[in-house]
Amino acid sequence: MFQKNNWGNNWVWTIFPYHHFHSNSHEVIAVRSGHAKVQLGGPQGKIFTISEGDCVLMPAGTGHKRIESGGGFAVTGGYPGGQDYDTQMRADETLRENIRKTGMPETDPVFGKNGPLFSYWTPEPGGKAG
């Protein structure tokens, strides 16, 4: 599904058990099996329980971490246009600039060109994702 909607560079594994983010790409994950508690938004972020079939889209710069998991927890990840990504743990001005320059994805990773992503995620002035 992700590849069909041009979200490639896919992988299957888990979510790191420490806070991290990607400064140069948005990321989507879909839970393939099991369940987990994840924290989204960095150390002060909200904790969510996700399970098989759930999909999470994280704009560039969104901190995320697996807190606990079970049931053979595994996710598939992807990135718009199949782009490469970095894994960062501390932001500096260069990484903040990378995040600011990361534009809107061209497609919703699940529903394609006309997906609900574009109803919820609107560009900031200047055309960047917000």
Side-chain angles (χ1 to χ4, degrees):
M1 172 181 51
F2 292 161
Q3 289 177 358
K4 175 183 155 196
N5 292 313
N6 199 29
W7 283 67
N9 194 10
N10 305 114
W11 50 268
V12 176
W13 198 42
T14 189
I15 300 170
F16 292 133
Y18 52 84
H19 289 286
H20 66 286
F21 65 95
H22 311 292
S23 77
N24 62 346
S25 182
H26 312 301
E27 180 178 37
V28 64
I29 58 166
V31 181
R32 297 173 61 94
S33 60
H35 53 87
K37 284 187 180 179
V38 297
Q39 188 170 24
L40 303 176
Q44 277 69 53
K46 188 171 178 182
I47 296 173
F48 295 88
T49 299
I50 58 176
S51 59
E52 187 173 333
D54 288 339
C55 189
V56 179
L57 176 60
M58 295 169 284
T62 302
H64 50 290
K65 161 187 177 172
R66 175 176 44 90
I67 295 172
E68 62 184 48
S69 62
F73 180 68
V75 298
T76 296
Y79 308 88
Q83 70 189 79
D84 219 354
Y85 59 92
D86 61 359
T87 299
Q88 304 292 334
M89 291 182 283
R90 292 190 185 188
D92 61 22
E93 193 50 42
T94 299
L95 297 178
R96 286 185 191 95
E97 183 61 24
N98 286 349
I99 294 165
R100 284 190 288 273
K101 291 189 309 190
T102 304
M104 284 287 287
E106 293 182 14
T107 58
D108 180 300
V110 177
F111 297 100
K113 290 242 180 230
N114 298 312
L117 165 71
F118 304 105
S119 297
Y120 295 105
W121 188 0
T122 59
E124 291 179 0
K128 302 301 179 211

